[in-house]
Coordinates of all heavy atoms in Angstrom, one line a residue:
A113 N 53.5 164.9 87.6 CA 54.9 165.4 87.8 C 54.9 166.7 88.6 O 55.9 167.1 89.2 CB 55.6 165.6 86.4
A114 N 53.8 167.5 88.4 CA 53.7 168.8 89.1 C 53.2 168.7 90.6 O 53.1 169.7 91.3 CB 52.9 169.8 88.3
G115 N 52.9 167.4 91.0 CA 52.5 167.2 92.3 C 51.0 167.0 92.6 O 50.6 166.8 93.7
L116 N 50.2 167.0 91.5 CA 48.7 166.8 91.7 C 48.4 165.3 91.4 O 49.1 164.6 90.7 CB 47.9 167.7 90.7 CG 47.7 169.1 91.0 CD1 46.9 169.8 89.9 CD2 47.1 169.4 92.4
N117 N 47.3 164.9 91.9 CA 46.8 163.6 91.6 C 46.4 163.6 90.1 O 45.7 164.5 89.7 CB 45.6 163.2 92.4 CG 45.1 161.8 92.1 OD1 44.3 161.6 91.2 ND2 45.5 160.8 92.9
P118 N 46.8 162.6 89.3 CA 46.6 162.7 87.8 C 45.1 162.7 87.5 O 44.7 163.2 86.4 CB 47.3 161.5 87.3 CG 47.5 160.6 88.5 CD 47.6 161.5 89.6
F119 N 44.2 162.2 88.4 CA 42.8 162.0 88.0 C 42.0 163.3 88.4 O 40.8 163.3 88.4 CB 42.3 160.8 88.7 CG 43.0 159.6 88.2 CD1 44.0 159.0 88.9 CD2 42.7 159.1 86.9 CE1 44.7 157.9 88.4 CE2 43.4 158.0 86.4 CZ 44.4 157.4 87.1
L120 N 42.8 164.4 88.8 CA 42.2 165.7 88.9 C 42.4 166.5 87.6 O 42.2 167.7 87.6 CB 42.8 166.4 90.1 CG 42.6 165.7 91.5 CD1 43.3 166.5 92.6 CD2 41.1 165.6 91.8
C121 N 42.8 165.8 86.6 CA 42.9 166.4 85.3 C 41.9 165.8 84.3 O 41.8 164.6 84.2 CB 44.4 166.2 84.7 SG 44.6 166.7 83.0
E122 N 41.2 166.7 83.5 CA 40.3 166.2 82.5 C 40.6 166.9 81.2 O 41.2 168.0 81.1 CB 38.9 166.6 82.9 CG 38.3 165.8 84.1 CD 38.0 164.3 83.8 OE1 38.1 163.9 82.6 OE2 37.7 163.6 84.7
M123 N 40.2 166.2 80.1 CA 40.4 166.8 78.8 C 39.1 167.1 78.2 O 38.1 166.3 78.2 CB 41.1 165.8 77.9 CG 42.6 165.8 78.1 SD 43.5 164.9 76.7 CE 43.3 166.0 75.4
A124 N 39.0 168.3 77.5 CA 37.8 168.6 76.7 C 38.2 168.5 75.3 O 39.2 169.1 74.8 CB 37.4 170.1 77.0
N125 N 37.4 167.7 74.5 CA 37.7 167.4 73.1 C 37.1 168.5 72.3 O 35.9 168.4 71.9 CB 37.2 166.0 72.8 CG 37.6 165.6 71.3 OD1 38.2 166.4 70.6 ND2 37.4 164.4 71.0
I126 N 37.9 169.5 71.9 CA 37.4 170.5 71.0 C 38.0 170.4 69.6 O 37.8 171.3 68.8 CB 37.6 172.0 71.6 CG1 39.1 172.2 71.7 CG2 36.9 172.2 72.9 CD1 39.5 173.7 72.0
R127 N 38.6 169.3 69.3 CA 39.0 169.1 67.9 C 38.1 168.1 67.2 O 37.3 168.6 66.4 CB 40.4 168.4 67.9 CG 41.1 168.4 66.5 CD 42.5 167.8 66.5 NE 42.5 166.4 66.7 CZ 43.6 165.6 66.7 NH1 44.8 166.2 66.5 NH2 43.5 164.3 66.9
E128 N 38.0 166.8 67.5 CA 37.1 165.9 66.9 C 35.7 166.3 67.1 O 34.8 166.1 66.2 CB 37.4 164.5 67.4 CG 38.6 163.8 66.8 CD 39.9 164.2 67.6 OE1 39.8 165.1 68.5 OE2 40.9 163.5 67.4
H129 N 35.3 166.8 68.3 CA 33.9 167.1 68.7 C 33.5 168.5 68.3 O 32.3 168.8 68.4 CB 33.7 166.9 70.2 CG 33.7 165.5 70.6 ND1 33.6 165.1 71.9 CD2 33.9 164.3 69.9 CE1 33.6 163.8 72.0 NE2 33.8 163.3 70.8
C130 N 34.5 169.3 67.8 CA 34.1 170.7 67.5 C 34.7 171.2 66.2 O 34.0 171.3 65.2 CB 34.5 171.6 68.7 SG 33.8 173.3 68.6
S131 N 36.0 171.5 66.2 CA 36.6 172.1 65.0 C 36.5 171.3 63.8 O 36.4 171.9 62.7 CB 38.1 172.5 65.3 OG 38.9 171.4 65.5
W132 N 36.7 170.0 63.9 CA 36.7 169.2 62.7 C 35.3 168.9 62.1 O 35.2 168.4 61.0 CB 37.3 167.8 63.0 CG 38.8 167.9 63.0 CD1 39.6 169.0 62.8 CD2 39.7 166.8 63.2 NE1 41.0 168.7 62.9 CE2 41.1 167.3 63.1 CE3 39.6 165.4 63.4 CZ2 42.2 166.5 63.2 CZ3 40.7 164.6 63.6 CH2 42.0 165.2 63.5
V133 N 34.3 169.2 62.9 CA 32.9 169.0 62.4 C 32.1 170.2 62.1 O 30.9 170.2 61.8 CB 32.1 168.0 63.3 CG1 32.7 166.7 63.4 CG2 32.1 168.7 64.7
H134 N 32.8 171.4 62.2 CA 32.1 172.7 61.9 C 32.9 173.5 61.0 O 34.1 173.4 60.9 CB 31.8 173.4 63.2 CG 30.9 172.8 64.2 ND1 29.5 172.7 63.9 CD2 31.1 172.1 65.3 CE1 28.9 172.1 64.9 NE2 29.9 171.7 65.8
E135 N 32.2 174.4 60.2 CA 32.9 175.3 59.3 C 32.7 176.7 59.8 O 33.5 177.6 59.5 CB 32.3 175.1 57.9 CG 32.7 173.8 57.3 CD 32.1 173.6 55.9 OE1 31.5 174.6 55.4 OE2 32.4 172.5 55.3
D136 N 31.6 177.0 60.4 CA 31.3 178.4 60.9 C 32.1 178.6 62.2 O 31.9 178.0 63.2 CB 29.8 178.5 61.1 CG 29.4 180.0 61.5 OD1 29.7 180.4 62.6 OD2 28.9 180.7 60.6
K137 N 33.0 179.6 62.2 CA 33.8 179.9 63.3 C 33.1 180.4 64.5 O 33.4 180.0 65.7 CB 34.9 180.9 62.9 CG 36.1 181.0 63.9 CD 37.3 181.7 63.3 CE 38.5 181.6 64.2 NZ 39.7 182.0 63.6
E138 N 32.0 181.2 64.3 CA 31.3 181.7 65.5 C 30.6 180.5 66.2 O 30.6 180.4 67.4 CB 30.2 182.7 65.0 CG 30.8 184.1 64.8 CD 31.3 184.7 66.1 OE1 30.7 184.6 67.1 OE2 32.5 185.2 66.0
E139 N 29.9 179.6 65.4 CA 29.2 178.5 66.0 C 30.2 177.6 66.7 O 30.0 177.1 67.8 CB 28.5 177.7 64.9 CG 27.3 178.5 64.4 CD 26.5 177.6 63.3 OE1 27.0 176.5 63.0 OE2 25.5 178.1 62.8
A140 N 31.4 177.3 66.0 CA 32.4 176.4 66.6 C 32.9 177.0 67.9 O 33.2 176.2 68.9 CB 33.5 176.1 65.6
T141 N 33.2 178.3 67.9 CA 33.7 178.9 69.1 C 32.7 178.8 70.3 O 33.1 178.5 71.4 CB 34.1 180.4 68.8 OG1 35.0 180.4 67.7 CG2 34.7 181.1 70.0
A142 N 31.5 179.1 70.0 CA 30.4 179.0 71.0 C 30.3 177.6 71.6 O 30.2 177.4 72.8 CB 29.1 179.5 70.4
K143 N 30.4 176.6 70.7 CA 30.3 175.2 71.1 C 31.5 174.9 71.9 O 31.4 174.2 73.0 CB 30.2 174.3 69.9 CG 30.1 172.9 70.3 CD 29.9 172.0 69.0 CE 29.8 170.5 69.4 NZ 29.7 169.6 68.2
A144 N 32.7 175.3 71.6 CA 33.9 175.0 72.3 C 33.9 175.6 73.7 O 34.3 174.9 74.7 CB 35.1 175.6 71.6
I145 N 33.3 176.8 73.9 CA 33.1 177.4 75.2 C 32.2 176.5 76.1 O 32.5 176.3 77.2 CB 32.6 178.8 75.1 CG1 33.6 179.8 74.4 CG2 32.2 179.4 76.4 CD1 33.1 181.1 74.0
E146 N 31.2 176.0 75.5 CA 30.3 175.1 76.2 C 30.9 173.8 76.6 O 30.7 173.3 77.7 CB 29.0 174.9 75.4 CG 28.1 176.1 75.3 CD 26.8 175.8 74.6 OE1 26.6 174.7 74.0 OE2 25.8 176.6 74.7
I147 N 31.7 173.2 75.7 CA 32.4 171.9 75.9 C 33.3 172.1 77.1 O 33.4 171.3 78.0 CB 33.1 171.4 74.7 CG1 32.1 171.0 73.6 CG2 34.0 170.3 75.0 CD1 32.7 170.6 72.3
V148 N 34.1 173.2 77.0 CA 35.1 173.4 78.1 C 34.4 173.7 79.4 O 34.8 173.3 80.5 CB 36.1 174.6 77.7 CG1 37.1 174.8 78.8 CG2 36.8 174.2 76.4
G149 N 33.3 174.5 79.4 CA 32.5 174.8 80.6 C 32.0 173.5 81.2 O 32.0 173.4 82.5
M150 N 31.6 172.6 80.4 CA 31.1 171.3 81.0 C 32.2 170.6 81.7 O 32.0 170.1 82.8 CB 30.6 170.4 79.8 CG 29.3 170.8 79.2 SD 29.0 169.9 77.7 CE 28.9 168.2 78.2
M151 N 33.4 170.6 81.1 CA 34.5 169.9 81.8 C 35.0 170.6 83.0 O 35.5 170.0 84.0 CB 35.7 169.7 80.8 CG 35.3 168.9 79.5 SD 34.5 167.3 79.9 CE 35.7 166.4 80.8

Side-chain angles (χ1 to χ4, degrees):
L116 284 183
N117 184 276
F119 301 97
L120 298 177
C121 171
E122 291 288 352
M123 280 192 73
N125 185 351
I126 60 169
R127 190 179 73 175
E128 287 85 347
H129 288 178
C130 189
S131 67
W132 279 4
V133 294
H134 294 287
E135 295 180 359
D136 187 286
K137 194 161 188 173
E138 279 300 315
E139 289 181 357
T141 302
K143 182 177 176 181
I145 292 169
E146 290 189 344
I147 291 173
V148 179
M150 288 167 61
M151 298 313 293

